[in-house]
């Protein structure tokens, strides 16, 4: 079967158009994968940072709980026999305030 020169040209143009479309599609897929990888890296960094912050805040909470527990042992306001009085004595209050 003999094909005309015109049919051959159409085949060549169609193949070229298909090749260009395939290249564009592969490039788009690669860009999408690169973008997802960048987003993944960013989220990993944020996650690591947040985990460090959790550790730091947990340590701070433990420390402050210990400070509070130690303070409660010596706090005159907590050991006052007349703790129903709404205005504490100034000398008792002064010993509870930070120096």
């Amino acid at each position: 079967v003999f094909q005309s020169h015109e049919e051959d040209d159409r085949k060549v143009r169609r193949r070229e158009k298909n090749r260009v479309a395939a290249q564009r599609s592969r490039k788009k897929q690669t860009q999408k994968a690169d973008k997802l990888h960048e987003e993944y890296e960013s989220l990993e960094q944020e996650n690591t940072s947040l985990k460090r912050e959790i550790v730091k805040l947990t340590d701070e909470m433990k420390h402050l709980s210990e400070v509070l527990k130690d303070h409660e042992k010596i706090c005159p306001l907590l050991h006052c026999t007349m703790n129903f009085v709404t205005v504490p004595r100034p000398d008792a209050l002064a010993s509870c305030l930070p120096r």
Side-chain angles (χ1 to χ4, degrees):
V1 178
F2 177 75
Q3 291 182 331
S4 70
H5 182 63
E6 199 173 287
E7 288 174 338
D8 287 343
D9 284 349
R10 262 189 283 157
K11 257 188 187 178
V12 169
R13 281 194 303 271
R14 195 176 338 114
R15 282 186 186 147
E16 178 64 17
K17 191 175 178 181
N18 190 20
R19 185 182 66 76
V20 170
Q23 278 181 327
R24 200 170 33 241
S25 176
R26 285 189 294 271
K27 184 178 180 182
K28 191 175 177 182
Q29 282 180 318
T30 301
Q31 288 173 337
K32 185 176 179 181
D34 289 347
K35 184 178 178 185
L36 284 173
H37 184 70
E38 287 176 19
E39 188 177 347
Y40 167 81
E41 291 291 330
S42 175
L43 289 171
E44 280 291 316
Q45 287 177 357
E46 183 180 1
N47 192 28
T48 300
S49 175
L50 289 171
K51 284 179 179 179
R52 275 195 300 262
E53 187 174 354
I54 287 171
V55 169
K56 180 182 158 200
L57 291 172
T58 302
D59 288 347
E60 183 179 0
M61 184 182 72
K62 287 177 185 174
H63 171 72
L64 292 174
S65 292
E66 287 297 317
V67 169
L68 179 61
K69 197 183 337 175
D70 290 346
H71 176 77
E72 286 174 342
K73 293 174 188 173
I74 62 167
C75 182
L77 295 178
L78 294 174
H79 298 292
C80 179
T81 56
M82 296 179 16
N83 58 8
F84 58 87
V85 177
T86 56
V87 180
R89 297 187 329 267
D91 58 325
L93 183 60
S95 68
C96 287
L97 296 176
R99 289 168 181 80

